Coordinates of all heavy atoms in Angstrom, one line a residue:
N9 N 9.7 10.9 84.8 CA 10.5 11.9 84.3 C 10.5 11.9 82.8 O 11.3 11.0 82.1 CB 11.9 11.8 84.8 CG 12.0 12.0 86.3 OD1 11.4 12.9 86.8 ND2 12.8 11.1 87.0
A36 N 34.7 -9.1 57.7 CA 34.5 -10.5 57.5 C 35.2 -11.0 56.3 O 35.8 -12.2 56.3 CB 32.9 -10.9 57.5
S42 N 42.4 -13.2 54.4 CA 43.7 -13.2 55.0 C 44.0 -14.3 55.9 O 45.2 -14.5 56.2 CB 43.9 -12.0 55.8 OG 43.0 -11.9 56.9
G52 N 33.0 -11.3 63.8 CA 32.0 -12.0 64.4 C 31.4 -11.1 65.6 O 30.2 -11.2 65.8
A58 N 26.1 -5.4 65.8 CA 24.9 -5.1 65.0 C 23.7 -5.7 65.6 O 22.7 -5.0 65.7 CB 25.1 -5.5 63.6
A62 N 20.6 -3.5 67.2 CA 19.2 -3.7 66.7 C 18.3 -4.1 67.7 O 17.2 -3.7 67.8 CB 19.2 -4.7 65.5
G82 N 3.5 -1.8 81.7 CA 3.8 -1.5 80.3 C 4.8 -2.5 79.8 O 4.9 -3.6 80.3
F114 N 46.7 -25.8 67.6 CA 47.3 -27.2 67.1 C 47.2 -27.3 65.6 O 47.8 -28.2 65.0 CB 46.4 -28.2 67.9 CG 46.5 -28.3 69.3 CD1 45.6 -27.6 70.1 CD2 47.6 -29.0 69.9 CE1 45.9 -27.7 71.5 CE2 47.8 -29.1 71.2 CZ 46.9 -28.3 72.0
Q115 N 46.3 -26.4 64.9 CA 46.3 -26.6 63.4 C 46.5 -25.1 62.9 O 45.6 -24.5 62.5 CB 44.9 -27.1 63.1 CG 44.6 -28.5 63.5 CD 43.2 -28.9 63.2 OE1 42.5 -28.3 62.6 NE2 42.9 -30.1 63.5
G122 N 49.8 -8.1 56.3 CA 49.7 -6.8 55.7 C 48.2 -6.4 55.6 O 47.7 -5.3 55.9
V126 N 45.8 -3.5 57.7 CA 45.1 -2.5 57.1 C 43.6 -2.5 57.4 O 43.0 -1.4 57.8 CB 45.1 -2.6 55.5 CG1 44.2 -1.5 55.0 CG2 46.6 -2.3 55.0
L133 N 39.3 2.6 63.7 CA 38.8 3.9 63.5 C 37.2 3.9 63.6 O 36.5 4.8 64.2 CB 39.2 4.5 62.1 CG 40.8 4.7 62.1 CD1 41.1 5.1 60.6 CD2 41.2 5.8 63.0
N135 N 35.3 1.8 65.2 CA 34.9 1.5 66.5 C 35.0 2.7 67.4 O 34.3 2.9 68.3 CB 35.6 0.2 67.1 CG 35.0 -1.0 66.5 OD1 33.8 -1.3 66.7 ND2 35.8 -1.8 66.0
A155 N 24.7 -2.5 75.0 CA 25.2 -2.2 73.6 C 26.5 -1.5 73.6 O 27.2 -1.9 72.7 CB 24.0 -1.3 72.9
V170 N 45.2 -5.0 65.4 CA 46.3 -4.0 65.1 C 47.7 -4.5 65.5 O 48.6 -4.6 64.8 CB 46.1 -2.6 65.4 CG1 47.2 -1.7 65.1 CG2 44.8 -2.1 64.6
A171 N 47.7 -4.7 66.8 CA 49.0 -5.2 67.5 C 49.4 -6.5 66.9 O 50.6 -6.6 66.6 CB 48.7 -5.3 69.0
G200 N 30.5 -9.1 79.3 CA 29.2 -9.7 79.1 C 28.7 -10.3 80.4 O 27.4 -10.1 80.6
T215 N 17.1 -6.2 95.1 CA 17.1 -4.8 95.5 C 17.9 -4.0 94.6 O 19.0 -4.4 94.2 CB 17.8 -4.8 96.9 OG1 16.9 -5.7 97.8 CG2 17.7 -3.4 97.5
L221 N 18.3 -1.1 102.3 CA 16.9 -1.3 102.9 C 16.9 -1.1 104.5 O 15.9 -0.6 105.0 CB 16.4 -2.8 102.6 CG 15.9 -3.1 101.1 CD1 15.4 -4.5 101.0 CD2 15.0 -2.0 100.7
I228 N 12.4 5.4 108.2 CA 11.0 5.5 108.2 C 10.6 5.4 109.7 O 9.6 6.0 110.1 CB 10.4 4.3 107.4 CG1 10.6 4.5 105.9 CG2 9.0 4.1 107.8 CD1 10.2 3.3 105.1
I231 N 10.1 8.6 111.8 CA 9.0 9.5 111.5 C 8.0 9.3 112.8 O 7.6 8.1 113.2 CB 8.2 9.0 110.3 CG1 9.1 9.2 109.0 CG2 7.0 9.8 110.2 CD1 8.4 8.7 107.8
I237 N 7.5 -1.3 111.0 CA 7.5 -1.5 109.6 C 7.8 -3.1 109.3 O 8.6 -3.7 109.9 CB 8.5 -0.5 109.0 CG1 8.5 -0.8 107.5 CG2 9.8 -0.7 109.5 CD1 9.3 0.2 106.6
L240 N 8.9 -4.9 103.8 CA 9.6 -3.8 103.1 C 10.3 -4.6 101.8 O 11.1 -5.4 102.0 CB 10.7 -3.2 104.0 CG 11.5 -2.1 103.3 CD1 10.7 -1.0 102.8 CD2 12.5 -1.6 104.3
A242 N 12.0 -3.7 97.8 CA 12.4 -2.8 96.8 C 12.9 -3.5 95.6 O 13.5 -4.6 95.7 CB 13.5 -1.8 97.3
Q266 N -5.3 11.2 108.6 CA -4.2 11.2 109.4 C -3.2 10.0 109.0 O -1.9 10.2 108.9 CB -4.5 11.0 110.9 CG -5.2 12.2 111.5 CD -5.7 11.8 112.9 OE1 -6.2 10.7 113.2 NE2 -5.7 12.9 113.8
Q289 N 1.3 0.6 102.8 CA 0.1 0.0 103.6 C 0.1 0.3 104.9 O 1.1 0.1 105.6 CB 0.1 -1.5 103.3 CG -1.1 -2.2 104.0 CD -2.3 -2.3 103.2 OE1 -2.3 -2.3 102.0 NE2 -3.4 -2.3 104.0
C299 N 6.2 -5.9 114.4 CA 7.5 -6.1 113.9 C 8.3 -4.7 113.5 O 7.7 -3.9 112.8 CB 7.6 -7.0 112.7 SG 9.3 -7.2 111.9
H312 N 7.9 1.4 121.1 CA 8.8 1.4 120.1 C 10.0 2.3 120.5 O 9.8 3.5 120.9 CB 8.2 1.9 118.8 CG 9.1 1.7 117.7 ND1 10.1 2.4 117.3 CD2 9.0 0.5 116.8 CE1 10.7 1.9 116.3 NE2 10.0 0.9 115.9
H314 N 12.1 3.9 118.8 CA 12.4 5.1 117.9 C 11.3 6.1 118.2 O 11.4 7.2 117.7 CB 12.4 4.7 116.4 CG 13.6 4.0 116.1 ND1 14.9 4.3 116.4 CD2 13.8 2.6 115.6 CE1 15.8 3.4 115.9 NE2 15.1 2.4 115.6

Side-chain angles (χ1 to χ4, degrees):
N9 295 318
S42 67
F114 292 95
Q115 299 175 357
V126 171
L133 295 175
N135 284 304
V170 169
T215 302
L221 288 183
I228 291 175
I231 298 175
I237 177 174
L240 175 60
Q266 290 171 327
Q289 175 83 33
C299 172
H312 195 279
H314 293 300

